[in-house]
Amino acid sequence: MRVFVAGATGAIGRQLVPRLVAAGHEVHGMTRFESKKAMLDELGAVPVVADALDPDQVAEAVGTARPDVIVHQLTAIGALDMRHFDRDFAPTNRLRTEGTDHLLSAGQAVGVRRFVAQGVAGYGAYARTGGPVKSEEDPLDPTPAREMRETLAAIRHLEEAVLNARWTEGIVLRYGAFYGPGTSMAPDGEYAELIRKRRFPLVGDGGGVWPFIHVADAAEATVAAVEHGSRGVYNVVDDDPAPVAEWLPALARTLGAKQPMRVPRFIGRLFAGEAGVMMMTELRGASNAKAKRELAWRPAHPSWRQGFTAA
Ligand SMILES: NC(=O)c1ccc[n+]([C@@H]2O[C@H](COP(=O)([O-])OP(=O)(O)OC[C@H]3O[C@@H](n4cnc5c(N)ncnc54)[C@H](OP(=O)(O)O)[C@@H]3O)[C@@H](O)[C@H]2O)c1
């Protein structure tokens, strides 16, 4: 198939493009920068220069490539201060609202068969009530932390726009927190740095449950969704959702860092805001049963326990 990847140069895109190429697909990879064309070329993609926020550029890029499938992996997360979650996610939120709409319009104009988009299983997507591990049927959070309202509204916009596009097979992959090469959890990444400096404390009981996924496994699941996914949502997470009180000390050990400091919730709120405290104490994990069953996919790193060390 001909596959158009928006976000081809990012942490997930760099894992995804070579796998699609190896599976025999013709990949067109989008970037804003002429300077990144060589990288895309090396990954095996036809480079396409366009800004996702410019509808005319997106229409032209997609119109020229005439893909069978569009994959939307656009984010612009960068440095994140949990106290100002929505402020720091504002560029990503635009990509998830306007960017999604432009890609869908361009895709409809050429009649793409599938549209696969990046969703979120971590950072507060699922309602913080009931059991610790959620399936795709469970409700999204109706009352997000105050500093995350715009971000979760943008995620909802993306999901609704993709799932309601009846002219195509609209698929949302709710990825767990990425770790592995090129991610913020990698040994040279931003989170690892904070953990080494003991600036990533364990807040309250550390009972927030995080879903993780190695970025290479996320890419494998995405190839499966591109090839035979059906309209709907899939959690793309590992087999082992775990509370912060388990994974954070383990990650610190793996990084050779001192154990994280423990702080009560009210101190946590000062440093990480309501959003940070929620993620440390209330977050829910996700189940990958549907993705395993319907995409015939298995993560090569079934648990972060071994995955962190391997990465
Ligand atoms: N599930 C998760 O845990 C998750 C999800 C996403 C990100 N993250 C983490 O956050 C870190 C930083 O993420 P990031 O958002 O900076 O992602 P990134 O890995 O740098 O990828 C962002 C992608 O979006 C593209 N892009 C952004 N704005 C664009 C625009 N206006 N037009 C066209 N393309 C555009 C970029 O392309 P060009 O720059 O080439 O134009 C790039 O390919 C990652 O390393 C990862 O660890 C985690």
Side-chain angles (χ1 to χ4, degrees), residues 6-14 30-33 36 50-53 73-78 92 95-96 118-120 123 175-179 182-185 213:
T9 58
I12 174 86
R14 291 194 303 271
M30 187 169 108
T31 175
R32 283 162 295 177
F33 305 109
K36 291 194 189 170
D51 186 333
L53 297 173
Q73 298 287 359
L74 298 166
T75 53
I77 297 171
T92 297
L95 292 167
R96 287 183 170 149
Q118 174 176 153
V120 175
Y123 54 87
Y175 296 123
F178 288 155
Y179 70 91
T183 71
S184 41
M185 302 278 281
I213 190 71

Side-chain angles (χ1 to χ4, degrees), residues 90 128 172 267:
R128 292 164 282 143
V172 174
I267 300 280

Side-chain angles (χ1 to χ4, degrees), residues 3-311:
V3 185
F4 185 94
V5 181
T9 58
I12 174 86
R14 291 194 303 271
Q15 297 282 334
L16 174 63
V17 170
R19 285 176 170 81
L20 287 168
V21 172
H25 304 297
E26 178 185 316
V27 180
H28 296 249
M30 187 169 108
T31 175
R32 283 162 295 177
F33 305 109
E34 289 286 335
S35 59
K36 291 194 189 170
K37 283 167 80 174
M39 182 211 291
L40 286 166
D41 201 42
E42 254 170 56
L43 293 172
V46 179
V48 182
V49 176
D51 186 333
L53 297 173
D54 182 321
D56 296 333
Q57 288 185 26
V58 174
E60 193 185 331
V62 173
T64 305
R66 300 199 76 77
D68 303 296
V69 181
I70 291 179
V71 184
H72 172 359
Q73 298 287 359
L74 298 166
T75 53
I77 297 171
L80 173 62
D81 178 343
M82 292 274 180
R83 289 169 303 179
H84 303 287
F85 205 94
D86 279 338
R87 181 198 68 189
D88 290 353
F89 260 78
T92 297
N93 295 345
R94 279 193 74 192
L95 292 167
R96 287 183 170 149
T97 52
E98 294 166 53
T100 302
D101 294 349
H102 301 334
L103 279 173
L104 279 168
S105 300
Q108 187 170 16
V110 298
V112 296
R113 293 215 300 265
R114 279 202 185 85
F115 190 102
V116 180
Q118 174 176 153
V120 175
Y123 54 87
Y126 283 111
R128 292 164 282 143
T129 51
V133 179
K134 302 300 185 190
S135 82
E136 293 82 354
E137 305 293 310
D138 284 308
L140 296 180
D141 194 348
T143 50
R146 192 165 39 83
E147 300 108 0
M148 300 176 87
R149 281 184 197 150
E150 289 167 23
T151 303
L152 293 205
I155 293 167
R156 271 171 201 262
H157 175 99
L158 176 147
E159 290 208 353
E160 283 168 16
V162 171
L163 299 173
N164 291 334
R166 307 311 287 186
W167 47 269
T168 189
E169 200 96 51
I171 296 170
V172 174
L173 302 178
R174 289 185 187 150
Y175 296 123
F178 288 155
Y179 70 91
T183 71
S184 41
M185 302 278 281
D188 58 353
E190 198 190 322
Y191 281 2
E193 197 52 35
L194 290 174
I195 291 168
R196 278 199 203 89
K197 291 182 175 156
R198 295 189 92 201
R199 287 176 56 198
F200 197 126
L202 209 157
V203 178
D205 65 356
V209 175
W210 285 43
F212 284 104
I213 190 71
H214 191 292
V215 70
D217 287 330
E220 292 285 347
T222 309
V223 174
V226 163
E227 292 178 343
H228 54 263
S230 304
R231 178 180 295 115
V233 175
Y234 298 88
N235 290 331
V236 175
V237 299
D238 76 9
D239 297 349
D240 194 10
V244 180
E246 276 185 40
W247 69 256
L248 182 55
L251 181 54
R253 271 194 301 279
T254 306
L255 292 167
K258 284 190 183 149
Q259 282 302 293
M261 281 191 281
R262 302 185 86 101
V263 302
R265 289 174 72 113
F266 79 96
I267 300 280
R269 190 167 288 115
L270 290 178
F271 290 98
E274 198 194 333
V277 172
M278 183 282 287
M279 290 183 58
M280 285 283 181
T281 59
E282 295 177 6
L283 198 72
R284 295 302 198 263
S287 158
N288 61 16
K290 182 186 176 194
K292 281 182 166 172
R293 195 174 59 239
E294 295 187 15
L295 297 178
W297 162 82
R298 292 279 176 285
H301 306 84
S303 170
W304 54 269
R305 288 173 213 271
Q306 293 80 39
F308 284 170
T309 313

